[in-house]
Amino acid sequence: MAFVLKYAKTVRNNWKKSVVCVAAAAYGVKYAKEKYDQEWIRREFCAEALKYGNAKIGLQERPRKITVFLNPAASGGGAVKVFEKNAAPILHCAGLEVNIVKVEYEGQVKKFLSILERSDTDGIVVAGGDGTLLETITGIMRKEDKTFRQNIPVGVIPLGHKNRFAKLLFGSDNDQVLLMCQCAMSVVRGLGRSVDVISLKEDNGRTAYALCGLEMGAFREAEQRKSKYWYFGGLKHRMTYLRSAFLDWPPVLKAKLSYVLATEENTQPRQQTEQPKEQPKGSWLSMLFKPKVIKPKAAELFEEETDDDNDVVETRNLSTVELTTVSTCLQDPGQTVKGLELGIGPAEPSIWEFISEGWRRVSEPTLRLGTRSNETILVKKIRIEPEDPTKFYNIDGELFESVPVTIELLRKRVKFFCVDPDFKIS
């Protein structure tokens, strides 16, 4: 009893130090629990992957080969350490043959994919951010061999800042370790589904490809400038909208739009097949010599295309604060008509409307582009001609020059490893 009284008196006389010690102890307990939970998640996923690694294979079979494009600059320069700690053990426990290609410069992934053959790998894994994924998809889509993207699935290990597409596939879970383990486990299980791709073609013929969409305007520019206000600490996200409103107002984006409205008729895909050639009829020589039997080849399925013959092009001069073009992965899955969702913001918002909308996006982060209050038009194809060449497009998190570009949705072009809904850690 005397010890308790003495301890209480000490706390009362040194209450400031006591508060600091209690706060530090609480933080230490929380940190230790978080690390324990993360280690437990890694252990459970490795145990599940080990079941695949212990499975027997035939004498004529070989382990699956996986090519990993690892961007060391992701995760603040610690991508290699994060990948080797969370995703690599799962891939190795499953008995996969993992070939790691460390990305050293921009464009290296596209060059590597230009010489990568279908026989060289059974799957591709992008361990990096949205930029590395964008470059990988562009390299795959530019390959002349269409069977490559139809047969070689792509996996994602999210190591970047936003990881928008990875969160769309596997859920926007706040635990980064769990998300990475789920992504690695999807590669092990080998389940995949085809995903729509956005084609962005310039007038010079150069084409880039994306998965989520394009955005440009005042909100994108404000978000891009927030790193300049690092000295505001946690308030830098809100300060960037204040400075943007008072330094550069009105933030008007002017462009010429030409688009084709999406309907159920003009977006209906056509599946073309190459019919097997008929074999020539036998001649009188067939009576003397037995002809060689040639089996006709099976019909080859081509990628889905839409009919553009009856498209009606509409033109519009645009003056707005924001412009977005969103792919189907960010739309309602139950939507019957599949097309690009064109989002147009207000033409002349007030300063307070601009600031309040920017702060709302800070308080309520979402994977969507733009806001639901913007005018939305479902289009099959769109052409954007900006008036100000100094503006930039933000395409899947990467900046591109605002040149005239034609945007089109390509249905089910790339196969991605996806999560197994039946798998749950115990």
Side-chain angles (χ1 to χ4, degrees), residues 181-253:
C181 290
Q182 287 178 339
C183 295
M185 196 64 204
S186 70
V187 178
V188 173
R189 298 188 68 89
L191 300 177
R193 66 182 179 93
S194 298
V195 175
D196 298 342
V197 175
I198 300 178
S199 167
L200 303 106
K201 187 175 183 179
E202 300 178 11
D203 292 344
N204 58 10
R206 187 176 61 178
T207 306
Y209 299 89
L211 294 169
C212 296
L214 171 149
E215 60 179 336
M216 63 184 307
F219 291 103
R220 185 214 62 80
E221 294 171 358
E223 190 69 17
Q224 191 69 26
R225 286 195 293 262
K226 68 180 181 182
S227 59
K228 297 181 179 180
Y229 308 122
W230 57 269
Y231 43 84
F232 286 102
L235 297 177
K236 66 179 181 180
H237 301 277
R238 300 180 183 273
M239 184 57 63
T240 182
Y241 291 101
L242 283 173
R243 299 294 295 272
S244 299
F246 290 103
L247 293 180
D248 186 16
W249 193 265
V252 179
L253 169 64

Side-chain angles (χ1 to χ4, degrees), residues 100-174:
I100 299 178
V101 179
K102 292 185 179 180
V103 182
E104 299 178 351
Y105 56 89
E106 185 178 355
Q108 182 181 4
V109 176
K110 288 184 285 189
K111 289 183 179 180
F112 193 92
L113 284 169
S114 64
I115 60 174
L116 186 66
E117 300 294 336
R118 189 156 58 99
S119 58
D120 298 332
T121 186
D122 297 312
I124 295 174
V125 175
V126 182
D130 293 331
T132 310
L133 180 59
L134 177 67
E135 187 174 340
T136 303
I137 296 302
T138 299
I140 292 175
M141 291 296 299
R142 287 179 179 177
K143 292 182 69 68
E144 296 181 359
D145 182 12
K146 293 183 180 180
T147 60
F148 186 93
R149 55 179 177 263
Q150 292 173 349
N151 294 277
I152 305 299
V154 180
V156 184
I157 305 296
L159 300 176
H161 177 60
K162 283 190 177 291
N163 304 308
R164 189 188 304 272
F165 187 74
K167 292 179 180 178
L168 287 171
L169 277 181
F170 300 95
S172 55
D173 198 293
N174 293 328

Side-chain angles (χ1 to χ4, degrees), residues 353-388:
E353 288 176 343
F354 175 78
I355 295 174
S356 59
E357 172 59 23
W359 286 3
R360 187 198 64 80
R361 297 186 184 191
V362 174
S363 304
E364 304 172 8
T366 177
L367 297 177
R368 283 186 56 86
L369 299 179
T371 180
R372 296 186 182 275
S373 61
N374 290 350
E375 176 189 359
T376 57
I377 307 174
L378 196 64
V379 298
K380 174 185 175 182
K381 184 186 298 186
I382 179 174
R383 177 176 173 80
I384 305 175
E385 300 179 25
E387 290 187 5
D388 188 356

Side-chain angles (χ1 to χ4, degrees), residues 38-53:
Q38 291 177 354
E39 191 63 29
W40 177 78
I41 291 172
R42 298 187 190 100
R43 184 170 62 249
E44 291 296 321
F45 274 94
C46 286
E48 179 67 19
L50 197 59
K51 298 177 182 178
Y52 291 85

Side-chain angles (χ1 to χ4, degrees), residues 240-402:
T240 182
Y241 291 101
L242 283 173
R243 299 294 295 272
S244 299
F246 290 103
L247 293 180
D248 186 16
W249 193 265
V252 179
L253 169 64
K254 293 185 178 182
K256 179 181 178 181
L257 300 183
S258 303
Y259 55 87
V260 177
L261 293 176
T263 63
E264 193 170 353
E265 290 77 16
N266 65 10
T267 57
Q268 192 67 26
R270 298 181 303 176
Q271 289 188 349
Q272 301 177 347
T273 56
E274 181 184 3
Q275 300 298 332
K277 297 180 180 179
E278 296 182 359
Q279 299 300 319
K281 297 181 179 179
S283 63
W284 61 273
L285 290 175
S286 61
M287 299 175 62
L288 301 177
F289 303 98
K290 185 177 180 180
K292 183 179 180 181
V293 179
I294 302 177
K295 297 182 179 180
K297 294 183 179 180
E300 182 181 353
L301 183 64
F302 283 81
E303 294 173 335
E304 297 177 344
E305 300 290 347
T306 55
D307 190 1
D308 300 337
D309 298 336
N310 300 321
D311 288 346
V312 179
V313 180
E314 299 186 14
T315 304
R316 177 174 175 178
N317 291 322
L318 182 69
S319 177
T320 182
V321 70
E322 182 181 39
L323 175 67
T324 61
T325 304
V326 177
S327 179
T328 52
C329 64
L330 288 165
Q331 300 175 22
D332 184 5
Q335 192 168 283
T336 56
V337 180
K338 301 298 182 181
L340 295 168
E341 187 179 276
L342 175 63
I344 302 175
E348 297 179 357
S350 65
I351 292 180
W352 176 243
E353 288 176 343
F354 175 78
I355 295 174
S356 59
E357 172 59 23
W359 286 3
R360 187 198 64 80
R361 297 186 184 191
V362 174
S363 304
E364 304 172 8
T366 177
L367 297 177
R368 283 186 56 86
L369 299 179
T371 180
R372 296 186 182 275
S373 61
N374 290 350
E375 176 189 359
T376 57
I377 307 174
L378 196 64
V379 298
K380 174 185 175 182
K381 184 186 298 186
I382 179 174
R383 177 176 173 80
I384 305 175
E385 300 179 25
E387 290 187 5
D388 188 356
T390 62
K391 302 290 184 180
F392 285 89
Y393 299 129
N394 187 310
I395 304 175
D396 282 7
E398 293 294 305
L399 295 183
F400 289 81
E401 295 179 357
S402 58

